């Protein structure tokens, strides 16, 4: 593994925003009016998946909805200056057209407490979950349904906008409908862009804080580097998941392979920053229907006791891809590592912050970094991948900061770090448990 003990000392620009990220459904618990909760109760949820033994419903998650006051104290005690969180639409509008004022009061209190601690809050307005009633009406698959989202935002935004320092309309809007899909999925991709644009312009009425939607920035990589088809399909995957969105936001042109191009002036320029969620690279195998091929076995880190799609460290991908985003400021809204052994997280953090710094040196205007995630949480189908800086006991809900949280706190305090810093938090590199069968 990389020699993180010898990393050169680096410093980040004055005012660099350091924080962590979470999402409502993954930490709050009892999010019973959401489509995600509904799906978790269905028998199909536990079938059709080779990992079904690891599948579990979200249940109480981290019980954050109850423990949020303590969690604000926790965030502050870890030295975080910023926090990215999401608000659950299904709590505020559990029944179509009916507002739950208690749920709203909860979020207002949470936001207020964060602001009082001097923490900049970045709010995600849609992080994978929405009311079950909205899903039953066809969700974002139906363009006309945008009006429901619009009505909800019109209710919510004026109440929270004074407390928000940055906005994500939708989380990872570029991965809706699958990552490597053909023309059939284009209408949904167009819908997501237009929903984003609608949110962007609506927020502008109430807030001067910067707005974007988080982009799942996948670094596609040809499995056989010499193979012409693998390379072409790598370009294809990069286009449909990355470049299509960048181009649309920059120009208003929705140009997707296999469908007639469209122009939408509302989409053009509908961002104030690039919001980047980066984890690792993905292999493109053009001989597989889904394109998403297996990793190089020698780079696969078995960091949790199940197979998972993010078990490689590929920090170079962060530097390389950030160079594509030179026209607006950039915030890394998610980046993190799931590992049972916390030492992997320290290595991951050190490598990715170095890679990020390299992008800064190359002239990319990166303004902030949000580690995913503040605490171990519900990873959509399972509790096994542990991304947290803070461990959560899912029986007692007790929070315990890990060594990586202390490492990160020192980085924030010093606005930089080096191999010396790493040495104080890491006695030795974690050993590789070997390949997953
Ligand atoms: C991202 C999601 C986030 C979390 C991480 C691991 O794609 O935005 O909610 O699941 O992956």
């Amino acid at each position: 593994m990389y020699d993180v003990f010898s990393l050169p000392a680096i410093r980040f620009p004055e005012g660099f925003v350091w924080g962590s990220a979470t999402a409502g459904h993954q930490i709050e618990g009892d999010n019973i009016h959401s489509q995600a909760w509904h799906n978790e109760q269905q028998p199909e949820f536990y079938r059709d998946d080779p990992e079904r033994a690891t599948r579990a419903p979200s249940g109480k998650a981290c019980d954050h909805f109850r423990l949020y006051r303590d969690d604000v104290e926790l965030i502050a005690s870890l030295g975080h200056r910023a926090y990215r969180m999401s608000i659950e639409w299904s709590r505020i509008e559990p029944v179509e057209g009916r507002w739950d004022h208690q749920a709203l009061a909860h979020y207002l209190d949470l936001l207020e407490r964060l602001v009082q601690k001097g923490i900049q809050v970045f709010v995600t307005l849609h992080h994978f979950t929405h009311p079950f009633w909205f899903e039953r009406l066809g969700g974002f698959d139906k363009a006309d349904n945008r009006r429901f989202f619009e009505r909800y935002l019109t209710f919510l935004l004026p109440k929270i906008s004074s407390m928000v320092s940055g906005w994500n309309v939708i989380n990872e809007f570029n991965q809706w409908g699958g990552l490597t899909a053909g023309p059939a999925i284009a209408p949904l991709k167009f819908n997501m862009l237009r929903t984003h644009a609608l949110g962007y312009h609506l927020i502008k009425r109430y807030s001067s804080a910067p707005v974007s939607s988080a982009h799942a920035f996948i670094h596609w990589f040809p499995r056989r580097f010499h193979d012409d088809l693998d390379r072409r399909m790598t370009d294809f995957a990069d286009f449909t998941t990355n470049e299509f969105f960048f181009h649309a936001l920059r120009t208003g042109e929705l140009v997707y392979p296999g469908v007639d191009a469209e122009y939408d002036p509302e989409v053009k320029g509908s961002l104030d920053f690039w919001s980047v969620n980066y984890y690792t690279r993905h292999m493109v195998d053009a001989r597989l229907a889904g394109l998403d091929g297996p990793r190089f076995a020698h780079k696969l880190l078995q960091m949790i006791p199940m197979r998972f799609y993010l078990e490689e460290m590929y920090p170079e991908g962060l530097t390389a891809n950030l160079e594509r985003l030179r026209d607006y400021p950039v915030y890394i809204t998610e980046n993190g590592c799931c590992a049972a052994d916390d030492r992997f997280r320290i290595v991951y953090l050190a490598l990715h912050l170095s890679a990020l710094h390299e992008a800064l040196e190359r002239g990319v205007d990166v303004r902030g970094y949000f580690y995913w995630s503040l605490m171990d949480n519900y990873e959509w189908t399972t509790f096994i991948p542990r991304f947290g800086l803070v461990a959560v006991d899912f029986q007692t809900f007790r929070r315990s900061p890990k060594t990586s949280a202390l490492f990160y706190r020192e980085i924030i305090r010093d606005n930089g770090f080096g191999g010396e810093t790493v040495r104080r938090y890491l006695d030795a590199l974690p050993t590789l448990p070997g390949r997953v069968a």
Side-chain angles (χ1 to χ4, degrees):
M1 206 184 292
Y2 300 80
D3 181 6
V4 281
F5 301 113
S6 308
L7 287 170
I10 49 175
R11 284 188 70 76
F12 289 80
E14 198 66 31
F16 193 81
V17 174
W18 294 104
S20 60
T22 60
H25 188 72
Q26 292 178 269
I27 61 170
E28 289 177 350
D30 291 332
N31 189 21
I32 59 170
H33 298 292
S34 67
Q35 103 285 17
W37 180 276
H38 174 85
N39 294 342
E40 290 159 20
Q41 314 307 314
Q42 305 308 307
E44 305 86 77
F45 181 79
Y46 301 92
R47 284 200 293 266
D48 313 329
D49 191 295
E51 298 294 339
R52 68 180 176 280
T54 71
R55 287 196 162 216
S58 53
K60 293 267 170 217
C62 306
D63 208 9
H64 166 75
F65 200 77
R66 185 172 65 89
L67 299 172
Y68 72 100
R69 297 179 194 86
D70 298 339
D71 287 336
V72 172
E73 299 295 326
L74 178 69
I75 294 166
S77 75
L78 295 175
H80 299 186
R81 309 269 163 76
Y83 178 58
R84 174 175 176 247
M85 54 166 271
S86 76
I87 292 179
E88 284 295 332
W89 176 6
S90 63
R91 286 191 189 274
I92 295 186
E93 193 180 1
V95 178
E96 201 236 292
R98 244 199 271 145
W99 308 117
D100 182 329
H101 290 274
Q102 250 180 323
L104 174 68
H106 167 92
Y107 286 113
L108 293 179
D109 190 39
L110 169 56
L111 290 168
E112 249 165 58
R113 284 168 189 268
L114 287 163
V115 171
Q116 267 164 23
K117 293 270 175 204
I119 292 162
Q120 293 186 41
V121 190
F122 277 52
V123 165
T124 305
L125 294 164
H126 188 288
H127 194 122
F128 294 164
T129 46
H130 47 237
F132 182 49
W133 62 259
F134 178 72
E135 180 81 356
R136 292 221 330 233
L137 293 174
F140 290 118
D141 280 316
K142 270 174 67 187
D144 186 44
N145 283 348
R146 277 203 291 279
R147 67 198 158 95
F148 295 111
F149 192 50
E150 182 173 12
R151 183 179 61 184
Y152 162 62
L153 293 188
T154 308
F155 171 77
L156 178 71
L157 293 173
K159 301 179 178 63
I160 63 170
S161 62
S162 66
M163 296 183 279
V164 179
S165 297
W167 300 90
N168 276 164
V169 182
I170 306 166
N171 182 60
E172 300 192 345
F173 66 154
N174 60 316
Q175 64 150 306
W176 284 61
L179 285 165
T180 48
I185 212 69
L188 179 59
K189 300 242 175 201
F190 287 20
N191 275 349
M192 295 318 289
L193 267 165
R194 291 189 161 117
T195 308
H196 153 79
L198 176 138
Y200 176 88
H201 295 292
L202 215 50
I203 292 169
K204 290 283 148 193
R205 289 197 208 152
Y206 305 102
S207 168
S208 57
V211 188
S212 192
S213 277
H215 185 96
F217 210 147
I218 290 176
H219 183 90
W220 298 103
F221 200 90
R223 176 154 182 232
R224 305 166 195 82
F225 203 75
H226 61 279
D227 184 272
D228 200 36
L229 193 59
D230 277 1
R231 292 167 78 118
R232 280 168 197 256
M233 292 312 280
T234 299
D235 284 346
F236 176 79
D238 183 72
F239 185 86
T240 56
T241 60
N242 294 324
E243 198 56 37
F244 163 71
F245 287 88
F246 302 151
H247 183 77
L249 292 169
R250 285 171 172 145
T251 65
E253 292 171 4
L254 282 60
V255 185
Y256 198 84
V259 298
D260 289 340
E262 293 177 23
Y263 175 73
D264 190 333
E266 297 287 306
V267 172
K268 182 177 178 175
S270 61
L271 76 163
D272 304 316
F273 66 97
W274 293 113
S275 174
V276 171
N277 294 359
Y278 176 85
Y279 287 90
T280 187
R281 68 176 165 180
H282 290 235
M283 292 296 162
V284 173
D285 184 339
R287 286 156 183 80
L288 294 176
L291 293 185
D292 208 358
R295 311 297 154 86
F296 293 135
H298 69 278
K299 283 274 284 177
L300 194 69
L301 307 172
Q302 194 185 339
M303 299 188 283
I304 50 170
M306 67 179 272
R307 261 181 294 163
F308 200 59
Y309 67 112
L310 297 177
E311 290 197 281
E312 187 190 346
M313 295 197 196
Y314 195 66
E316 302 87 326
L318 182 61
T319 317
N321 284 305
L322 287 179
E323 286 209 86
R324 299 164 66 175
L325 305 175
R326 291 175 172 282
D327 47 351
Y328 291 90
V330 177
Y331 286 86
I332 309 300
T333 36
E334 284 182 30
N335 174 244
C337 164
C338 62
D341 182 339
D342 188 46
R343 292 177 299 174
F344 281 113
R345 196 167 351 269
I346 295 177
V347 174
Y348 187 96
L349 257 169
L351 292 175
H352 287 78
L353 292 178
S354 297
L356 169 63
H357 192 265
E358 192 160 332
L360 279 161
E361 282 178 333
R362 294 184 189 189
V364 184
D365 183 10
V366 188
R367 302 268 176 97
Y369 177 87
F370 293 81
Y371 178 79
W372 181 274
S373 177
L374 170 67
M375 57 181 136
D376 291 342
N377 60 46
Y378 180 63
E379 179 51 35
W380 301 111
T381 53
T382 166
F383 282 96
I384 290 178
R386 301 285 161 96
F387 281 91
L389 294 167
V390 174
V392 174
D393 178 324
F394 291 107
Q395 254 76 57
T396 63
F397 303 111
R398 195 165 166 260
R399 278 78 162 128
S400 322
K402 304 176 190 176
T403 309
S404 54
L406 310 180
F407 174 57
Y408 190 47
R409 181 167 67 183
E410 182 165 333
I411 295 173
I412 299 173
R413 189 198 65 196
D414 295 351
N415 202 28
F417 76 104
E420 280 296 324
T421 330
V422 178
R423 228 169 284 170
R424 268 183 285 113
Y425 291 92
L426 193 64
D427 45 4
L429 290 177
T431 46
L432 291 174
R435 325 177 39 162
V436 185

